[in-house]
Amino acid sequence: MLWIIRFSGFFSAALVTIVLSPSLQSFPPAEAIRSSHFDGYLRYPGQTPVVDSLNRFSFRKASAFGNAEECGSGDRQTSGETTVCDPSLVHIAITLDVEYLRGSIAAVHSILQHSLCPTNFFFHFLVSETNLETLVRSTFPQLNFKVYYFDPEIVRNLISTSVRQALEQPLNYARNYLADLLEPCVRRIIYLDSDLIVVDDVSKLWTTSLGSRTVGAPEYCHANFTKYFTDGFWSDKRLSGTFVGRKPCYFNTGVMVIDLVKWRRFEYTKRIERWMEIQKNSRIYELGSLPPFLLVFAGHVATIEHRWNQHGLGGDSVRGSCRDLHPGPVSLLHWSGSGKPWLRLDSNRPCPLDALWAPYDLYGPTP
């Protein structure tokens, strides 16, 4: 179990002590990150990030990992020995793109460090750019994974403008298409955003019961749910009537457990797309890929403990100001919002909690 002890005050640094259960594997922390601005390696002035820029930065190879003796499936040594349809696998989906690649690598690294049976995991990486597979393989030589190409054209005409340009990127919508992209034998998936770290064994999240629900996530029923949609939406009973008979609560789509069998059966991708089409014509929300999920699933979500998504550490969608932890135990820290820990650390303007992300950062050459 993870215990976090915090002392915070106005403009004061947070003192954070983490004690991990002895049952979890211990790995040497990654070398402290260098103070070069990552974004500078990925962009040329006036250009969109391109894959050719990948040769201008590198990631260190992660420490070797293996299953503990109590793992029932045995120790898989290489990804070549593991097929995606192995029923004993834990399936995890994460997007990979040049701009957030540093975060994705840190997320995977954190999962492996805190897992009792890391070779029982299979990672499904969603990409809209090529040549990222080689980089992942060189960083995690033992990792079981497969790369799936998501065509941006699938959603380009469905995406509307948002409060932050990053929310308009087509790859943000790849989570809507997991049931179509992954093999039919993959019956359940954990979807994780790229701006988080896991500090507990993610197998615990995998075994969460969804009951009759299709999606499981931590819910936040104290949040003002009405703010996620426009006044025009709430005043039009043909639209807002979708919540009649439901008790909708906000949930963050950056951490979800999804029953892909039910998703395919009830064709939820088409339901999400229909709301995106309405948005293009009627402007019923402002926040990118989140509101369509709320429209389809809010009030029908299997509740997962809040410890599995301590979100909002990236501040709001505009300023990216520093945030504190929510009360209670922590299994996953999520820098949702505009402030990302790697950019704040590199600019020498970190928030106190960004220090918790740094040990999982593998960016930079091998010393």
Side-chain angles (χ1 to χ4, degrees):
M1 178 178 292
L2 173 73
W3 297 92
I4 292 187
I5 306 172
R6 300 180 287 110
F7 304 93
S8 59
F10 188 65
F11 288 123
S12 67
L15 174 63
V16 184
T17 301
I18 299 180
V19 181
L20 294 174
S21 166
S23 66
L24 299 182
Q25 298 183 18
S26 177
F27 290 80
E31 180 193 45
I33 62 172
R34 310 224 191 308
S35 60
S36 56
H37 197 283
F38 182 62
D39 201 43
Y41 287 88
L42 306 181
R43 292 182 184 271
Y44 297 105
Q47 292 184 350
T48 301
V50 291
V51 175
D52 288 346
S53 66
L54 287 174
N55 59 16
R56 303 188 62 181
F57 68 94
S58 62
F59 291 89
R60 301 185 299 282
K61 185 168 70 172
S63 302
F65 58 86
N67 283 358
E69 290 184 2
E70 52 264 50
C71 299
S73 299
D75 194 355
R76 300 177 178 89
Q77 296 299 320
T78 66
S79 61
E81 298 175 11
T82 302
T83 64
V84 68
C85 292
D86 184 335
S88 68
L89 293 173
V90 172
H91 295 277
I92 302 169
I94 300 178
T95 59
L96 293 180
D97 76 309
V98 173
E99 185 142 0
Y100 283 81
L101 188 59
R102 188 167 170 185
S104 298
I105 294 294
V108 173
H109 192 206
S110 71
I111 292 169
L112 297 175
Q113 286 206 16
H114 295 294
S115 299
L116 198 64
C117 309
T119 65
N120 291 355
F121 297 162
F122 197 101
F123 288 84
H124 303 260
F125 293 121
L126 312 176
V127 306
S128 291
E129 301 166 284
T130 57
N131 298 337
L132 294 176
E133 182 172 354
T134 301
L135 188 149
V136 174
R137 177 65 62 204
S138 64
T139 306
F140 302 106
Q142 298 170 276
L143 196 68
N144 303 312
F145 76 90
K146 182 176 178 179
V147 172
Y148 301 78
Y149 179 73
F150 177 71
D151 186 355
E153 296 304 317
I154 293 174
V155 293
R156 199 174 301 280
N157 292 331
L158 291 172
I159 297 175
S160 55
T161 56
S162 181
V163 294
R164 184 158 55 95
Q165 188 175 7
L167 300 177
E168 302 171 21
Q169 299 305 310
L171 199 59
N172 281 338
Y173 296 83
R175 73 195 82 188
N176 303 359
Y177 297 88
L178 285 168
D180 301 322
L181 292 168
L182 306 189
E183 290 81 355
C185 64
V186 181
R187 301 172 61 86
R188 171 183 279 224
I189 194 78
I190 296 173
Y191 177 82
L192 298 176
D193 271 352
S194 299
D195 53 357
L196 56 78
I197 56 171
V198 177
V199 290
D200 200 347
D201 194 328
V202 79
S203 296
K204 300 175 186 177
L205 179 60
W206 173 256
T207 57
T208 298
S209 173
L210 300 184
S212 62
R213 307 301 194 188
T214 301
V215 171
E219 290 186 291
Y220 303 90
C221 295
H222 63 279
N224 180 7
F225 190 79
T226 60
K227 72 177 183 179
Y228 295 101
F229 302 96
T230 62
D231 291 341
F233 169 84
W234 291 112
S235 63
D236 189 334
K237 299 304 179 185
R238 296 171 301 174
L239 299 175
S240 59
T242 191
F243 292 121
V244 171
R246 296 156 64 177
K247 294 181 179 179
C249 295
Y250 162 74
F251 66 95
N252 180 281
T253 56
V255 179
M256 296 184 289
V257 181
I258 303 174
D259 184 328
L260 294 175
V261 176
K262 289 189 176 73
W263 186 293
R264 295 173 181 124
R265 181 187 308 154
F266 296 108
E267 298 184 324
Y268 283 115
T269 296
K270 291 182 179 179
R271 300 189 192 190
I272 289 174
E273 286 179 334
R274 282 197 289 269
W275 281 112
M276 293 175 69
E277 291 167 355
I278 292 172
Q279 160 74 355
K280 291 289 288 187
N281 297 321
S282 303
R283 196 66 184 177
I284 59 175
Y285 55 80
E286 304 289 345
L287 278 176
S289 62
L290 169 64
F293 259 86
L294 297 179
L295 287 160
V296 173
F297 293 109
H300 298 308
V301 172
T303 300
I304 291 175
E305 289 183 275
H306 287 176
R307 67 188 303 150
W308 285 106
N309 196 352
Q310 282 268 347
H311 67 290
L313 303 185
D316 59 26
S317 293
V318 179
R319 294 186 299 273
S321 54
C322 296
R323 295 276 180 86
D324 207 352
L325 289 172
H326 306 294
V330 179
S331 293
L332 184 151
L333 296 98
H334 186 186
W335 278 261
S336 57
S338 60
K340 303 307 174 188
W342 55 92
L343 297 180
R344 296 195 296 212
L345 285 161
D346 283 356
S347 65
N348 293 317
R349 295 193 300 270
C351 293
L353 292 178
D354 295 344
L356 297 180
W357 180 89
Y360 305 99
D361 183 23
L362 291 174
Y363 170 62
T366 302

